Amino acid sequence: MPTYTDLETHGDAHCLPGFKPLLVDDALIESLGLPYLVSAEVRAALATGSQRYKMLFDNNALQPSSTYLEEKVVVDQELEVHNYTNICPTNVFEITPSSGSCSISCQYCLVTDGNQCKPITVYTNYTEKLRASLERNKDKNVFYYFSPKTDAFSEPLLFSGISHDILRTFIEHNHRHPDTRIRLFICSKAGMKHVSVAHRGDTILSLAGQLAGRAQWNGSIGIMPSYLRNILEPHAGTIADRLEVMQHCQEMGLVSNSVLCQPLILPYLTPECVEDYISDLAGAGVINIKPEFLTAELANLSLIAQYINYYDPDRLAEFFQSYLMQENQTHLKQRSRMAPEKSICIEKLALIRDTAQRHGISISICNWVRRELMQEADWVNSIAKDTGSKANGYACLGYYVGFFGDNDDQSTVRVSAE
């Protein structure tokens, strides 16, 4: 099997002095003062999650192995539509050139639910499938999202050249069809080491520069202290590096002024932390953010709690309480992914909104989040308009719909999930 080397390494639970897996059981819940909030079903899920974590920890399986598999994908099927909530306003196809784990190893991963021991499989013929899809959809106002189910520039995709070939496929498509309506949406935690990897003489940055005017490069940067980020995103680029990549993209003419601001982990959304975060983004030329709170299945909450308990045990009760209230158990975005309690989300979203406005940064927002929170706070319904993201040309996940001119109603060319 092919092997890869992590380009960045920031954290490993096995190297934390005195770290021991935390059992999230009845005794812990009671010690946190939460027993009246937590049902028997929720307790069982939390216990299962912490037991799973201990198994992964004991087997050194918190991060994937340094090998990956190579397989071929069926090329005559359309790409999956990116519409988890069934109310997404923008036409988007997913670019998914691998499956299983991701070498970036985000411990809160929404795809693996934190289980990063699944084998990584890279699809060596993926560009054939992509090329056929681009031909079919060249006349539609549509984004191709690279990539919602792995990092676009994870090491297996870089060292195999698949990431480079995907960018080359878009470059070739644009040369064949100068009037194509297709636009590429890249969202990545890559740092300078990742985008400097060369394949057949081309780096990711040199290829991306050839997509100026037809591609968007969004940074993916959550709000959390660096010590927590290092352990939760052990192989991502540093924040300084991610912002440097975005600035290089700006200089090359790509749309690279928006950040996917997630996950938002509630105990850390203090005014000071939010101010520092927004200030850093503004200094790098960011003019739009799409904030979203951490959503996770109950078992994965136990995984994330391991590190909050290690670094900030006094914040563990606040972390759990925001999810475990009985009335919050139906606040689910996708599959069994639970969002925090709505009133807390509204309070923290207002803090982010006010801070962003002071720095001239607009906010775009997921339609599902808007729908859920506007029931409790009317202002959420108009947040994009009030904070200027529509005027800046950004919508939903942070897609730059300004690519399509004044025609931001794409219902006539809506892609189908069937």
Side-chain angles (χ1 to χ4, degrees):
M1 290 188 290
T3 62
Y4 67 90
T5 302
D6 293 312
L7 297 172
E8 297 274 9
T9 299
H10 305 296
D12 183 344
H14 296 91
C15 298
L16 296 177
F19 178 86
K20 294 181 180 179
L22 175 72
L23 180 60
V24 184
D25 57 7
D26 286 349
L28 177 68
I29 291 171
E30 290 172 7
S31 74
L32 296 175
L34 304 177
Y36 65 95
L37 297 174
V38 186
S39 68
E41 182 181 11
V42 169
R43 289 170 186 252
L46 293 171
T48 297
S50 63
Q51 290 161 1
R52 185 187 76 178
Y53 179 84
K54 185 177 187 306
M55 178 195 70
L56 295 173
F57 180 86
D58 289 345
N59 289 285
N60 289 298
L62 292 169
Q63 299 177 20
S65 68
S66 58
T67 63
Y68 61 94
L69 306 171
E70 292 184 333
E71 293 184 5
K72 292 187 180 296
V73 68
V74 177
V75 301
D76 59 355
Q77 296 176 351
E78 184 54 276
L79 304 186
E80 184 176 351
V81 174
H82 186 68
N83 192 350
Y84 294 153
T85 65
N86 294 319
I87 54 174
C88 296
T90 304
N91 296 329
V92 181
F93 285 114
E94 295 185 355
I95 299 176
T96 311
S98 68
S99 62
S101 297
C102 169
S103 62
I104 302 298
S105 304
C106 298
Q107 300 293 286
Y108 52 78
C109 178
L110 305 181
V111 178
T112 65
D113 291 317
N115 186 353
Q116 291 292 348
C117 62
K118 297 179 181 179
I120 300 173
T121 299
V122 171
Y123 300 117
T124 57
N125 66 331
Y126 192 81
T127 53
E128 295 178 40
K129 182 173 185 173
L130 175 60
R131 187 175 295 108
S133 177
L134 295 177
E135 287 295 321
R136 282 191 296 269
N137 296 292
K138 64 181 183 297
D139 297 324
K140 299 177 181 177
N141 291 351
V142 62
F143 285 100
Y144 280 68
Y145 183 172
F146 186 26
S147 170
K149 290 188 171 66
T150 186
D151 195 282
F153 308 114
S154 65
E155 283 86 354
L157 295 176
L158 288 173
F159 295 146
S160 65
I162 299 299
S163 290
H164 301 75
D165 285 343
I166 286 172
L167 297 183
R168 291 182 182 115
T169 300
F170 277 91
I171 293 168
E172 293 164 2
H173 174 79
N174 292 337
H175 285 325
R176 285 196 307 273
H177 304 289
D179 296 327
T180 182
R181 302 294 294 165
I182 288 171
R183 298 296 181 262
L184 175 60
F185 177 83
I186 297 170
C187 190
S188 176
K189 293 181 173 69
M192 291 302 298
K193 292 179 182 178
H194 298 88
V195 300
S196 300
V197 171
H199 177 257
R200 300 202 324 250
D202 298 315
T203 67
I204 293 298
L205 270 186
S206 68
L207 290 168
Q210 298 178 55
L211 293 167
R214 297 173 183 264
Q216 175 182 358
W217 188 301
N218 259 35
S220 177
I221 308 172
I223 300 180
M224 65 186 88
S226 59
Y227 57 81
L228 188 62
R229 178 180 290 110
N230 286 343
I231 198 71
L232 290 181
E233 302 174 353
H235 304 302
T238 66
I239 300 308
D241 267 359
R242 293 183 224 180
L243 292 175
E244 183 178 354
V245 169
M246 292 183 64
Q247 289 175 304
H248 279 292
C249 290
Q250 293 167 15
E251 292 167 1
M252 294 187 300
L254 278 79
V255 175
S256 190
N257 307 101
S258 184
V259 162
L260 180 59
C261 177
Q262 68 181 64
L264 302 177
I265 300 180
L266 285 167
Y268 300 97
L269 294 181
T270 64
E272 296 78 15
C273 187
V274 173
E275 172 64 32
D276 289 345
Y277 173 89
I278 296 293
S279 178
D280 286 346
L281 265 56
V286 173
I287 63 172
N288 186 77
I289 59 172
K290 182 263 182 181
E292 188 156 344
F293 298 92
L294 171 72
T295 58
E297 63 166 14
L298 283 168
N300 205 30
L301 288 178
S302 289
L303 186 156
I304 298 162
Q306 304 289 328
Y307 303 116
I308 295 178
N309 179 67
Y310 178 80
Y311 288 110
D312 301 296
D314 58 327
R315 288 177 163 167
L316 190 59
E318 180 185 354
F319 172 70
F320 273 135
Q321 183 172 353
S322 61
Y323 291 91
L324 301 185
M325 294 179 182
Q326 188 60 40
E327 61 269 26
N328 194 56
Q329 299 309 296
T330 58
H331 195 198
L332 303 174
K333 181 171 185 183
Q334 176 200 3
R335 303 193 318 270
S336 56
R337 281 168 42 195
M338 184 179 297
E341 199 274 325
K342 293 179 183 178
S343 65
I344 301 174
C345 290
I346 290 168
E347 174 191 344
K348 298 302 184 181
L349 184 59
L351 169 63
I352 293 169
R353 174 202 61 188
D354 295 345
T355 308
Q357 283 182 327
R358 287 200 305 274
H359 288 275
I361 292 178
S362 63
I363 292 177
S364 54
I365 190 169
C366 168
N367 267 21
W368 180 86
V369 174
R370 185 201 310 272
R371 185 189 67 186
E372 293 294 300
L373 300 186
M374 64 182 278
Q375 301 170 21
E376 310 293 330
D378 291 342
W379 64 265
V380 175
N381 188 41
S382 58
I383 187 171
K385 180 179 179 181
D386 292 345
T387 60
S389 67
K390 186 174 182 180
N392 281 342
Y394 293 97
C396 191
L397 193 66
Y399 303 113
Y400 183 64
V401 293
F403 276 134
F404 305 117
D406 294 332
N407 181 23
D408 57 11
D409 177 7
Q410 301 175 53
S411 59
T412 57
V413 292
R414 180 158 302 284
V415 295
S416 172
E418 299 178 353

